[in-house]
Amino acid sequence: MVYIFNELLETMQFVFLFYVLFKDQIAFHRQRILALTACYVFGVIVMILLHQEKYLLEAGTLLQIAAVWLLLTENAGGKLLSFLLIFSLPSMFSASFEIIFRFFVQENALDGFLDAAYGLGGKTLCLLVILGMFAYRWRNTERFYISNMTKFLMSFIIDLFLIVLGWMTRNHGHVDSVTAVLMACCSIVIAMLCIWLMVVDSSRKTNGYRLEVANQRYVYAKELERNQKEIRKIHHDLNKHIQMIGLYAGQGRADKIEEYVQEFNEDLIGNYRDAGYTENALFNGILADRITKAAAKDITITHKGDLREKLAISDYDFSLMIMNLLDNAMEYVERKNLHEVKVQTYQDEHTLVLKVINSLDIGEDVDISKSSKENQVVHGFGLAIVRRAAERNHGSLEITTADNQFTARVILHI
């Protein structure tokens, strides 16, 4: 029963702490969650029936690895660091709480440290702490970011503490309970400081993200303002054209009316860009505007594919994604003196795909985890905004570099 209680406590710690730390990085794939749960329950039942409870710890560890790998929307390095953090943090808290708990009930704090029964009280206290964090995280809608460096530093500190505890266990005859308790208290304080630094770092990134969102909204508003000016100009010019046609009609000059209409039509053709790329008017307008801007910089934007008239996402999120992808690509090719950007779109009953491709400078090794923009504080969240807009709409952003091309692809499950 000791093995079963141990595994039950550790699994509950993992599930709730996984949500607390990585709520904003989790891809809630219903099928994957159900498959993980079914496999884990089946494995536990089989081990209990075969009286192999001592292997439950290995089964729980496999569950943690699979959950981190299948549910987190990070690269392989980020997933590895996430696993190390979520595996180490509960162990450290449980061991520290158990040492303090045993001290107050007047037991040897380190006696049986490596036994299966050791830590049940500490694990229970740790689970209560994690449940409190879970309750707060459930109500709080603020996004929380954990950098890979923060994960690495916290995992290193925690694992170092556990190694020292193991050394103290082998030599517990030379270490009294008071020293063990002081070390446990220090470890908890250090862990809380690490969490505080993690919150500070997250707040800094959140503020940068909000600044970029505000900047995007400002750009969006300026574009609306520019379009309104164009509409007012067309309305003003149209009144003049109607007046001229009315004047010629009053004079009975049908030949002048025909000549004037012909000139007006030629002027429209010369200044109007056909925006009938897809059935979606919003995409057509954005693409036509970016093509005009790109042409002024000797950049060619080509489009292939189609979109339907109605999209299952908000116009604001859609605009954020396509405008950021196009602007990032245009900025790069302009800076590198390249001349082509490709846009591909696809939509069916359940999927919407946006893909923007630009050539890379010959021989350039691009770190896709970092922004290529000069001012990363203000502009370094362009792709992050695209990613979060995609995640809000049950999708993801995939970035790849191959065949000397940079590809950003948004896949939305609608």
Side-chain angles (χ1 to χ4, degrees), residues 65-84:
I65 295 173
V68 169
W69 187 261
L70 295 175
L71 300 181
L72 288 186
T73 57
E74 297 182 307
N75 55 32
K79 291 179 179 179
L80 175 61
L81 292 173
S82 297
F83 170 74
L84 291 176

Side-chain angles (χ1 to χ4, degrees), residues 7 40 53 102 104 141 154 158 168 192 209 250 260 276 282 286 299 414:
E7 178 54 30
Y40 175 70
E53 292 89 349
R102 289 193 174 207
F104 280 106
T141 58
M154 290 188 66
I158 293 168
M168 292 173 62
M192 297 305 294
Y209 172 75
Y260 190 85
L282 177 61
I286 293 173
I299 299 172
I414 55 179

Side-chain angles (χ1 to χ4, degrees), residues 150-405:
T150 301
K151 296 175 188 175
F152 172 77
L153 290 176
M154 290 188 66
S155 300
F156 176 78
I157 294 172
I158 293 168
D159 291 334
L160 182 62
F161 166 75
L162 292 174
I163 291 173
V164 172
L165 268 184
W167 173 82
M168 292 173 62
T169 300
R170 291 195 300 271
N171 301 275
H172 67 273
H174 303 287
V175 179
D176 57 23
S177 295
V178 175
T179 302
V181 169
L182 289 176
M183 187 171 182
C185 292
C186 289
S187 68
I188 293 176
V189 171
I190 292 173
M192 297 305 294
L193 286 175
C194 289
I195 294 175
W196 177 76
L197 291 174
M198 184 170 57
V199 171
V200 171
D201 184 52
S202 176
S203 298
R204 181 183 63 84
K205 292 183 179 180
T206 300
N207 291 335
Y209 172 75
R210 288 173 176 171
L211 181 61
E212 177 65 12
V213 170
N215 181 62
Q216 290 290 332
R217 288 176 176 172
Y218 174 76
V219 172
Y220 186 72
K222 294 298 290 184
E223 296 231 357
L224 288 177
E225 181 183 2
R226 183 175 61 83
N227 291 336
Q228 287 296 322
K229 288 181 179 180
E230 289 292 330
I231 292 174
R232 287 197 297 269
K233 180 178 180 297
I234 292 173
H235 184 266
H236 180 267
D237 292 344
L238 189 60
N239 283 335
K240 289 185 176 180
H241 295 314
I242 292 176
Q243 290 175 9
M244 289 299 300
I245 293 174
L247 178 63
Y248 287 137
Q251 297 174 355
R253 303 289 302 274
D255 57 331
K256 283 291 185 178
I257 293 176
E258 183 179 355
E259 180 182 346
Y260 190 85
V261 170
Q262 180 66 28
E263 291 179 359
F264 180 50
N265 185 51
E266 291 176 356
D267 183 64
L268 282 177
I269 294 175
N271 291 281
Y272 173 74
R273 177 179 295 275
D274 183 14
Y277 308 106
T278 70
E279 297 178 9
N280 187 268
L282 177 61
F283 174 81
N284 294 345
I286 293 173
L287 186 59
D289 177 73
R290 292 310 189 266
I291 287 176
T292 301
K293 291 181 178 179
K297 302 176 181 179
D298 195 25
I299 299 172
T300 301
I301 298 179
T302 58
H303 171 257
K304 181 180 180 181
D306 195 14
L307 290 176
R308 298 179 181 178
E309 181 179 1
K310 298 293 184 179
L311 301 178
I313 64 174
S314 69
D315 288 347
Y316 179 71
D317 279 345
F318 180 78
S319 299
L320 278 183
M321 288 187 286
I322 190 63
M323 289 169 63
N324 269 287
L325 292 177
L326 284 172
D327 291 346
N328 284 351
M330 288 169 56
E331 179 186 341
Y332 176 84
V333 297
E334 180 186 9
R335 188 171 64 252
K336 298 296 183 178
N337 197 28
L338 302 172
H339 305 285
E340 184 179 16
V341 174
K342 299 177 182 178
V343 182
Q344 298 177 7
T345 56
Y346 170 79
Q347 184 178 6
D348 60 21
E349 294 295 333
H350 307 290
T351 308
L352 172 64
V353 179
L354 303 174
K355 184 188 294 187
V356 176
I357 307 169
N358 63 266
S359 300
L360 292 174
D361 202 9
I362 298 177
E364 181 174 7
D365 185 16
V366 176
D367 184 355
I368 62 177
S369 65
K370 297 181 180 180
S371 169
S372 63
K373 300 189 175 184
E374 296 178 359
N375 190 345
Q376 293 192 12
V377 174
V378 178
H379 300 291
F381 291 88
L383 290 179
I385 288 176
V386 175
R387 178 174 286 107
R388 284 164 179 73
E391 290 172 355
R392 282 197 299 270
N393 294 277
H394 311 289
S396 61
L397 169 65
E398 298 177 358
I399 300 174
T400 58
T401 55
D403 300 327
N404 208 43
Q405 289 186 328

Side-chain angles (χ1 to χ4, degrees), residues 116-141:
Y118 187 88
L120 288 179
K123 288 177 181 177
T124 303
L125 293 173
C126 179
L127 178 60
L128 293 176
V129 173
I130 293 175
L131 285 174
M133 298 167 62
F134 173 80
Y136 172 78
R137 193 78 169 95
W138 181 271
R139 296 193 304 269
N140 188 6
T141 58

